[in-house]
Amino acid sequence: MSRPGRIRAQGPLMALPALAGLLVFVGVPFLYSIALSFYEVRLGSPEAPSFTGLEHYRRLFSHPDISPPFRRALLNNLTFAVVVVPLQTGLALALAVLLNRRLRGMGVLRALFFLPVVLPMALVAVLWRPFLSRGEDGIINAALSHLTPGSWEAHDWLGSATTAMASVIVLSVWQGVGFQMLIFLAGLHQIPDERYEAAMVDRAGPWQRFRHVTLPGLRTTVVFVALLTSVLAFRVFDQVYILIRGGGLNEEATHTVMYQAVTTAFDQNNTGMASAITVVFFLIVLALTLLQRGLVRTREEKS
Amino acid sequence: MAVTACWAGAGEVPRSAAGSGTGDISVWAHQGTVPENEALIGIVADFNRSQDKVRARLRLTPPADYTGTVLITEPADLPDVLEFDGPTMASLVANGKLTAITPYVSSGTVDNATDTIRAQGMAGGELYGLGMYDSGLGVYGDKSQLDAAGVDYPRGLDDAWSAEEFTDALGTLAARDDDGQVLDIRENDGLGTEWGTFGFSPVLWSAGGGLLAGDHAAGVLDTRETAAAFERFQEWKRYVHPNPDGTALQEREVALSWAGHWVYGDYAASLGSDLVVMPLPDFGNGVKTGQGSWAWGIGANTKNGTAAGAFLDYLLGDERVARMTEANTAPPGTRSALAASPLYGDGGPLRLFAEQLDRPCGDRDITPSCVAVTRPVTPGYPVITSEFSQALTKIYGGDDPRDRLSGAARAIDRSYADNDGYELP
């Protein structure tokens, strides 16, 4: 009897260091954020922070100058996530299926598609600027002008409210799709060959094999990739920050909650308001995550 | 860590001490261009060799991190001597990080500083910093394109273009240009950064407005005249080349470039005698230009203020100032070095910038006859520059100038109200 008891106690004991780390590096800072959001804090000032109660939250939701940009940031984040999650997941799956063949040179192609993942997002933003530049010299504008014998009028991809977010989405998907592709490749390798052989015997075509063998076999992987991409989509900051500051990106159409939190804290020296922004955003993302998880469980129960 | 810095800082304000005037002193500076770094490292080495009482230990930090590093470092951990970006000085003073330098540097050093360098270094009636160099801002032009288009361009401050004349000149140049993009405004450097404030607040000042008056932006930032000035600014966008790689004037893809002194070297190398240097256009309240740059101060917690002062005296000597400004083509920060400068002295190609600096406005009282305006010396400057440059970006993107300027003014005033007016000690 003593042995099972001892074994039972060892699990939590071994998990303790990780739990402690999680608490120290995630839990405590978050509690600090909550605390700071009730104060007017000036970074570096010898004066003590002054208590302001719910003023930061009140402003965030009802101040005529502060609330609209925050709501717009939420909308921008949501827009980005709603487009990027299905787009990047679908594209990654398509790439994985295309590159999951035993042909010579396939490894090189996989490496090429994965390459952008290695680049930091800030560098990706810098790399894409010449493509999206608003002048005739912009690579996309030049290419379109060439394809439509000179009739293409140079378009400001980053500055235009209608194409700014699309530009951010395109370069973000370009950077990240390789990682999701890799996960799908791993998932594809786990599908037993016997299922495809059985399908072939039944004379199933490529599309039918995809629908009835590949997709069911990847169900768990699709869910994981979608969840992962959702989390990454809500963290959008680097590419937005770099391009707003130095690339003429339309701020209103693209600024995200993280952008607003960072600029509020460090440009406007308002750590209290920045903390309130992150607390509210955390709660929203938490709610969305729980909702997503609930949907996934419902689907799993049905299947 | 930022949180700890916030609350740990709530205590008595540190005091500097004169010390014995001997021993080691620590020196922090931003990592600049390669020539600047070499010049500074050489100057520090020369200082250490020139005497045996004081030894300066230099630490360079990349510019993107430097200001943030100083911001989050507690006063007790700051060095004896530190460089800072001019407009951030008031914040550092309010946070107890800089001490007045007058007790430690020689009166000769202070007297020889240019008026604009002193204007940048004064806060609350005390002198907290002096710079080895200042900055210059204007419109560079390609004479061959201007002449070919028959455009009459200004030769100096007294015949500057009016905003309307500048617009007409752009139209005339554009009519002869393949793509009609004849002006560079260093858009690629980011209007939403300090370049936006430094480069384009002169439009405000020249329209009779400003970034701040007392502790309010409303009524000075968002006037009818400033809105009209920025509507004019918006009109220019169709003539502006995005200049993604910064070489539009060098390759003569544009005829005009609105830029600071730091591009002069590249422009002169490409255009030679075709390069002309002109003032910014006048929006009604006289020509105005930006001023200010990196400066040097003494840490508030120094225990060796005398030695720190000796180092600053050495740094700001003519030979060192000339060496640094030869490395970065910036206007020298001392009268004698400025007058002797091949670039900025009589007959020099950048003489205009020296003349502008010779008509200082300070950071208030911007009259029609003064030219070089110091950005507001106030601990709230980070908010001011953030709000103005954001408004500028949106105006450039097509938003209504009146709306954007009044929104920025309200945000600045709100920040001042929240922070008890950002008072200086």
Side-chain angles (χ1 to χ4, degrees), chain B residues 116 287-291 356-362 370-374:
Chain B
T116 47
V287 174
K288 301 290 176 264
T289 190
Q291 177 268 322
Q356 295 182 144
L357 295 171
D358 206 38
R359 300 199 212 175
C361 303
C370 68
V371 178
V373 186
T374 303

PDB file of all heavy atoms in Angstrom, chain B residues 116 287-291 356-362 370-374:
ATOM      1  N   THR B 116      21.468  78.144 -28.844  1.00  0.00           N
ATOM      2  CA  THR B 116      20.498  77.052 -28.985  1.00  0.00           C
ATOM      3  C   THR B 116      20.885  75.843 -28.141  1.00  0.00           C
ATOM      4  O   THR B 116      20.032  75.165 -27.580  1.00  0.00           O
ATOM      5  CB  THR B 116      20.371  76.618 -30.455  1.00  0.00           C
ATOM      6  OG1 THR B 116      21.676  76.451 -31.010  1.00  0.00           O
ATOM      7  CG2 THR B 116      19.600  77.648 -31.255  1.00  0.00           C
ATOM      8  N   VAL B 287      10.190  82.018 -41.225  1.00  0.00           N
ATOM      9  CA  VAL B 287      10.798  80.692 -41.376  1.00  0.00           C
ATOM     10  C   VAL B 287      11.105  80.131 -40.002  1.00  0.00           C
ATOM     11  O   VAL B 287      11.593  80.834 -39.120  1.00  0.00           O
ATOM     12  CB  VAL B 287      12.109  80.789 -42.187  1.00  0.00           C
ATOM     13  CG1 VAL B 287      12.808  79.431 -42.220  1.00  0.00           C
ATOM     14  CG2 VAL B 287      11.820  81.269 -43.595  1.00  0.00           C
ATOM     15  N   LYS B 288      10.815  78.858 -39.809  1.00  0.00           N
ATOM     16  CA  LYS B 288      11.146  78.182 -38.555  1.00  0.00           C
ATOM     17  C   LYS B 288      11.847  76.867 -38.875  1.00  0.00           C
ATOM     18  O   LYS B 288      11.594  76.244 -39.909  1.00  0.00           O
ATOM     19  CB  LYS B 288       9.888  77.890 -37.722  1.00  0.00           C
ATOM     20  CG  LYS B 288       9.104  79.133 -37.370  1.00  0.00           C
ATOM     21  CD  LYS B 288       9.842  80.013 -36.344  1.00  0.00           C
ATOM     22  CE  LYS B 288       9.080  81.294 -36.078  1.00  0.00           C
ATOM     23  NZ  LYS B 288       9.574  82.427 -36.892  1.00  0.00           N
ATOM     24  N   THR B 289      12.739  76.453 -37.972  1.00  0.00           N
ATOM     25  CA  THR B 289      13.426  75.187 -38.168  1.00  0.00           C
ATOM     26  C   THR B 289      13.600  74.489 -36.834  1.00  0.00           C
ATOM     27  O   THR B 289      13.483  75.114 -35.778  1.00  0.00           O
ATOM     28  CB  THR B 289      14.807  75.420 -38.819  1.00  0.00           C
ATOM     29  OG1 THR B 289      15.357  74.154 -39.201  1.00  0.00           O
ATOM     30  CG2 THR B 289      15.773  76.075 -37.849  1.00  0.00           C
ATOM     31  N   GLY B 290      13.876  73.204 -36.897  1.00  0.00           N
ATOM     32  CA  GLY B 290      14.101  72.449 -35.685  1.00  0.00           C
ATOM     33  C   GLY B 290      15.523  72.622 -35.188  1.00  0.00           C
ATOM     34  O   GLY B 290      16.403  73.096 -35.905  1.00  0.00           O
ATOM     35  N   GLN B 291      15.749  72.212 -33.954  1.00  0.00           N
ATOM     36  CA  GLN B 291      17.050  72.371 -33.325  1.00  0.00           C
ATOM     37  C   GLN B 291      17.206  71.292 -32.267  1.00  0.00           C
ATOM     38  O   GLN B 291      16.226  70.746 -31.777  1.00  0.00           O
ATOM     39  CB  GLN B 291      17.110  73.763 -32.677  1.00  0.00           C
ATOM     40  CG  GLN B 291      18.382  74.071 -31.902  1.00  0.00           C
ATOM     41  CD  GLN B 291      18.284  73.734 -30.425  1.00  0.00           C
ATOM     42  OE1 GLN B 291      17.247  73.926 -29.802  1.00  0.00           O
ATOM     43  NE2 GLN B 291      19.362  73.228 -29.860  1.00  0.00           N
ATOM     44  N   GLN B 356      20.473  80.003 -39.126  1.00  0.00           N
ATOM     45  CA  GLN B 356      19.211  79.674 -38.460  1.00  0.00           C
ATOM     46  C   GLN B 356      19.424  79.516 -36.956  1.00  0.00           C
ATOM     47  O   GLN B 356      18.667  80.029 -36.135  1.00  0.00           O
ATOM     48  CB  GLN B 356      18.617  78.386 -39.047  1.00  0.00           C
ATOM     49  CG  GLN B 356      18.217  78.533 -40.511  1.00  0.00           C
ATOM     50  CD  GLN B 356      17.579  77.280 -41.106  1.00  0.00           C
ATOM     51  OE1 GLN B 356      16.671  77.381 -41.930  1.00  0.00           O
ATOM     52  NE2 GLN B 356      18.046  76.108 -40.707  1.00  0.00           N
ATOM     53  N   LEU B 357      20.490  78.802 -36.603  1.00  0.00           N
ATOM     54  CA  LEU B 357      20.782  78.580 -35.187  1.00  0.00           C
ATOM     55  C   LEU B 357      21.159  79.878 -34.492  1.00  0.00           C
ATOM     56  O   LEU B 357      21.022  80.009 -33.270  1.00  0.00           O
ATOM     57  CB  LEU B 357      21.914  77.552 -35.033  1.00  0.00           C
ATOM     58  CG  LEU B 357      21.598  76.139 -35.523  1.00  0.00           C
ATOM     59  CD1 LEU B 357      22.847  75.268 -35.519  1.00  0.00           C
ATOM     60  CD2 LEU B 357      20.511  75.501 -34.655  1.00  0.00           C
ATOM     61  N   ASP B 358      21.638  80.827 -35.277  1.00  0.00           N
ATOM     62  CA  ASP B 358      22.040  82.110 -34.720  1.00  0.00           C
ATOM     63  C   ASP B 358      20.837  83.003 -34.428  1.00  0.00           C
ATOM     64  O   ASP B 358      20.990  84.090 -33.885  1.00  0.00           O
ATOM     65  CB  ASP B 358      22.988  82.802 -35.705  1.00  0.00           C
ATOM     66  CG  ASP B 358      23.915  83.771 -34.998  1.00  0.00           C
ATOM     67  OD1 ASP B 358      24.352  83.445 -33.876  1.00  0.00           O
ATOM     68  OD2 ASP B 358      24.188  84.848 -35.549  1.00  0.00           O
ATOM     69  N   ARG B 359      19.646  82.563 -34.807  1.00  0.00           N
ATOM     70  CA  ARG B 359      18.420  83.288 -34.475  1.00  0.00           C
ATOM     71  C   ARG B 359      17.531  82.377 -33.621  1.00  0.00           C
ATOM     72  O   ARG B 359      16.491  81.913 -34.068  1.00  0.00           O
ATOM     73  CB  ARG B 359      17.664  83.698 -35.734  1.00  0.00           C
ATOM     74  CG  ARG B 359      18.453  84.610 -36.670  1.00  0.00           C
ATOM     75  CD  ARG B 359      17.497  85.315 -37.607  1.00  0.00           C
ATOM     76  NE  ARG B 359      18.068  85.586 -38.913  1.00  0.00           N
ATOM     77  CZ  ARG B 359      17.368  86.115 -39.925  1.00  0.00           C
ATOM     78  NH1 ARG B 359      16.093  86.403 -39.770  1.00  0.00           N
ATOM     79  NH2 ARG B 359      17.937  86.337 -41.079  1.00  0.00           N
ATOM     80  N   PRO B 360      17.942  82.110 -32.377  1.00  0.00           N
ATOM     81  CA  PRO B 360      17.228  81.145 -31.535  1.00  0.00           C
ATOM     82  C   PRO B 360      15.911  81.695 -31.003  1.00  0.00           C
ATOM     83  O   PRO B 360      15.783  82.886 -30.724  1.00  0.00           O
ATOM     84  CB  PRO B 360      18.211  80.890 -30.394  1.00  0.00           C
ATOM     85  CG  PRO B 360      18.997  82.155 -30.294  1.00  0.00           C
ATOM     86  CD  PRO B 360      19.106  82.697 -31.698  1.00  0.00           C
ATOM     87  N   CYS B 361      14.946  80.800 -30.854  1.00  0.00           N
ATOM     88  CA  CYS B 361      13.650  81.152 -30.261  1.00  0.00           C
ATOM     89  C   CYS B 361      13.566  80.687 -28.811  1.00  0.00           C
ATOM     90  O   CYS B 361      12.724  81.166 -28.061  1.00  0.00           O
ATOM     91  CB  CYS B 361      12.508  80.482 -31.027  1.00  0.00           C
ATOM     92  SG  CYS B 361      12.445  80.852 -32.762  1.00  0.00           S
ATOM     93  N   GLY B 362      14.380  79.699 -28.439  1.00  0.00           N
ATOM     94  CA  GLY B 362      14.107  79.013 -27.186  1.00  0.00           C
ATOM     95  C   GLY B 362      12.926  78.086 -27.424  1.00  0.00           C
ATOM     96  O   GLY B 362      12.592  77.772 -28.568  1.00  0.00           O
ATOM     97  N   CYS B 370      12.602  85.175 -34.996  1.00  0.00           N
ATOM     98  CA  CYS B 370      13.511  84.094 -34.621  1.00  0.00           C
ATOM     99  C   CYS B 370      13.266  82.896 -35.538  1.00  0.00           C
ATOM    100  O   CYS B 370      12.232  82.808 -36.198  1.00  0.00           O
ATOM    101  CB  CYS B 370      13.334  83.708 -33.158  1.00  0.00           C
ATOM    102  SG  CYS B 370      11.773  82.933 -32.782  1.00  0.00           S
ATOM    103  N   VAL B 371      14.231  81.968 -35.576  1.00  0.00           N
ATOM    104  CA  VAL B 371      14.147  80.884 -36.557  1.00  0.00           C
ATOM    105  C   VAL B 371      14.265  79.493 -35.930  1.00  0.00           C
ATOM    106  O   VAL B 371      13.454  78.614 -36.190  1.00  0.00           O
ATOM    107  CB  VAL B 371      15.232  81.042 -37.646  1.00  0.00           C
ATOM    108  CG1 VAL B 371      15.167  79.882 -38.642  1.00  0.00           C
ATOM    109  CG2 VAL B 371      15.060  82.367 -38.377  1.00  0.00           C
ATOM    110  N   ALA B 372      15.284  79.281 -35.111  1.00  0.00           N
ATOM    111  CA  ALA B 372      15.545  77.933 -34.586  1.00  0.00           C
ATOM    112  C   ALA B 372      14.784  77.727 -33.284  1.00  0.00           C
ATOM    113  O   ALA B 372      15.082  78.360 -32.275  1.00  0.00           O
ATOM    114  CB  ALA B 372      17.039  77.731 -34.362  1.00  0.00           C
ATOM    115  N   VAL B 373      13.808  76.826 -33.321  1.00  0.00           N
ATOM    116  CA  VAL B 373      12.950  76.590 -32.164  1.00  0.00           C
ATOM    117  C   VAL B 373      13.412  75.336 -31.423  1.00  0.00           C
ATOM    118  O   VAL B 373      13.612  74.286 -32.037  1.00  0.00           O
ATOM    119  CB  VAL B 373      11.479  76.416 -32.587  1.00  0.00           C
ATOM    120  CG1 VAL B 373      10.582  76.315 -31.361  1.00  0.00           C
ATOM    121  CG2 VAL B 373      11.038  77.571 -33.476  1.00  0.00           C
ATOM    122  N   THR B 374      13.562  75.469 -30.116  1.00  0.00           N
ATOM    123  CA  THR B 374      13.868  74.305 -29.288  1.00  0.00           C
ATOM    124  C   THR B 374      12.564  73.573 -28.998  1.00  0.00           C
ATOM    125  O   THR B 374      11.552  74.202 -28.694  1.00  0.00           O
ATOM    126  CB  THR B 374      14.503  74.767 -27.962  1.00  0.00           C
ATOM    127  OG1 THR B 374      15.666  75.532 -28.266  1.00  0.00           O
ATOM    128  CG2 THR B 374      14.877  73.595 -27.084  1.00  0.00           C
TER     129      THR B 374
END
